Amino acid sequence: MAEHDTTHFGFQTVNKDEKVKKVADVFHSVAARYDVMNDLMSFGIHRVWKLFTIELSGVRTGAKVLDIAGGTGDLAAKFAQRVGPEGEVVLADINESMLRVGRDKLIDRGLGHRVKYVQANAECLPFPDNHFDVITIAFGLRNVTDKDAALASMQRILKPGGKLLVLEFSKPQSTLLSKAYDLYSFRALPLMGKLVANDADSYQYLAESIRMHPDQETLKSMMLTAGFATVKYHNMTGGIVALHVGNKA
């Protein structure tokens, strides 16, 4: 395989087309237990991270919002309540199983009719230029094969003055925390995956994909290169998670 045809799937080097299929298989496998595992893995703290993202988005009544890799709809549900009937919320995910789980969850909460559902690849988003006020992607960017293409695609469809929020696992800020986090990630996560979701391999990939994801400063630089005028990031839980916020000029 030529170097430009390959990418990372966790710690493995694979063909880019192969990564797309492998990531799809992971999320087809974990979709049904995704919410339960999120609560277990993060001890429920993922809800605080997502709430902080919602608050920093500044979404108001009438806004147009796109949640990419929106999975089971946590952010989309909050946005639907905030934008009101005159706003627009689109839940997009490349994975059909995750999109179905998210749609069913939102219907159960009485919000299904307030959200549009689109199966889409973040690298080539099927929306017009300058359309959305806010775009979010939570714990999804690390699974994208061509992150630069995805960031450029998001920048294109944001309105001038619009905001992109990238919530993602990142690099812990202390050596001690980093060592403890490694131990937890590579020992506990696969075991939880095996016991709860009957799938240790997918959660081994999760731990590996987090380590291969760009750190805080690298992702900030990538967002600036993609055309965002300003980019700031906020470390949470000691840098285990970071929220990057980029504004389009």
Side-chain angles (χ1 to χ4, degrees):
M1 289 185 289
E3 186 176 346
H4 65 274
D5 292 329
T6 62
T7 188
H8 296 288
F9 176 76
F11 291 161
Q12 301 175 47
T13 298
V14 298
N15 184 283
K16 287 182 178 180
D17 292 337
E18 188 182 359
K19 174 171 179 173
V20 174
K21 182 181 183 304
K22 282 179 172 287
V23 170
D25 288 344
V26 166
F27 286 95
H28 284 313
S29 173
V30 304
R33 306 293 289 172
Y34 187 79
D35 286 336
V36 173
M37 283 297 296
N38 269 358
D39 280 330
L40 284 173
M41 289 187 302
S42 72
F43 306 101
I45 301 172
H46 74 98
R47 298 177 186 276
V48 178
W49 299 332
K50 289 171 181 173
L51 186 60
F52 184 64
T53 303
I54 296 283
E55 293 303 323
L56 256 63
S57 74
V59 164
R60 298 182 180 180
T61 302
K64 293 182 177 179
V65 183
L66 171 65
D67 184 26
I68 301 170
T72 56
D74 285 351
L75 292 178
K78 298 287 188 186
F79 285 135
Q81 292 167 335
R82 293 205 174 197
V83 305
E86 57 268 52
E88 176 186 1
V89 177
V90 179
L91 171 58
D93 203 296
I94 195 172
N95 188 277
E96 182 185 358
S97 298
M98 293 295 289
L99 201 58
R100 191 182 305 117
V101 170
R103 182 193 62 203
D104 291 348
K105 182 176 168 183
L106 288 166
I107 289 172
D108 288 344
R109 295 180 62 178
L111 295 167
H113 65 290
R114 301 267 294 277
V115 177
K116 298 176 182 176
Y117 307 92
V118 177
Q119 188 171 358
N121 186 334
E123 297 172 21
C124 47
L125 293 161
F127 305 103
D129 294 0
N130 308 315
H131 184 75
F132 291 100
D133 298 291
V134 169
I135 297 175
T136 55
I137 179 167
F139 307 112
L141 187 61
R142 73 179 185 281
N143 298 309
V144 174
T145 302
D146 190 337
K147 296 173 180 60
D148 292 317
L151 291 169
S153 187
M154 295 174 209
Q155 196 269 356
R156 175 186 65 79
I157 62 175
L158 267 176
K159 291 179 182 178
K163 188 182 291 185
L164 169 66
L165 299 103
V166 181
L167 180 64
E168 188 54 90
F169 293 108
S170 202
K171 184 177 180 181
Q173 296 302 285
S174 82
T175 303
L176 186 62
L177 179 60
S178 186
K179 288 180 179 178
Y181 185 47
D182 279 347
L183 186 65
Y184 171 74
S185 299
F186 291 105
R187 298 287 180 87
L189 287 191
L191 180 59
M192 280 188 216
K194 182 178 181 181
L195 294 175
V196 178
N198 195 30
D199 186 352
D201 290 346
S202 290
Y203 288 91
Q204 178 72 27
Y205 161 72
L206 171 68
E208 292 177 3
S209 70
I210 291 168
R211 299 313 182 280
M212 300 304 293
H213 185 67
D215 65 16
Q216 288 91 327
E217 284 294 327
T218 303
L219 181 54
K220 177 181 177 179
S221 178
M222 290 168 67
M223 290 174 70
L224 290 169
T225 299
F228 289 91
T230 60
V231 180
K232 297 179 180 179
Y233 62 83
H234 306 266
N235 284 320
M236 292 181 278
T237 317
I240 286 174
V241 165
L243 175 63
H244 284 68
V245 183
N247 292 91
K248 180 173 176 175

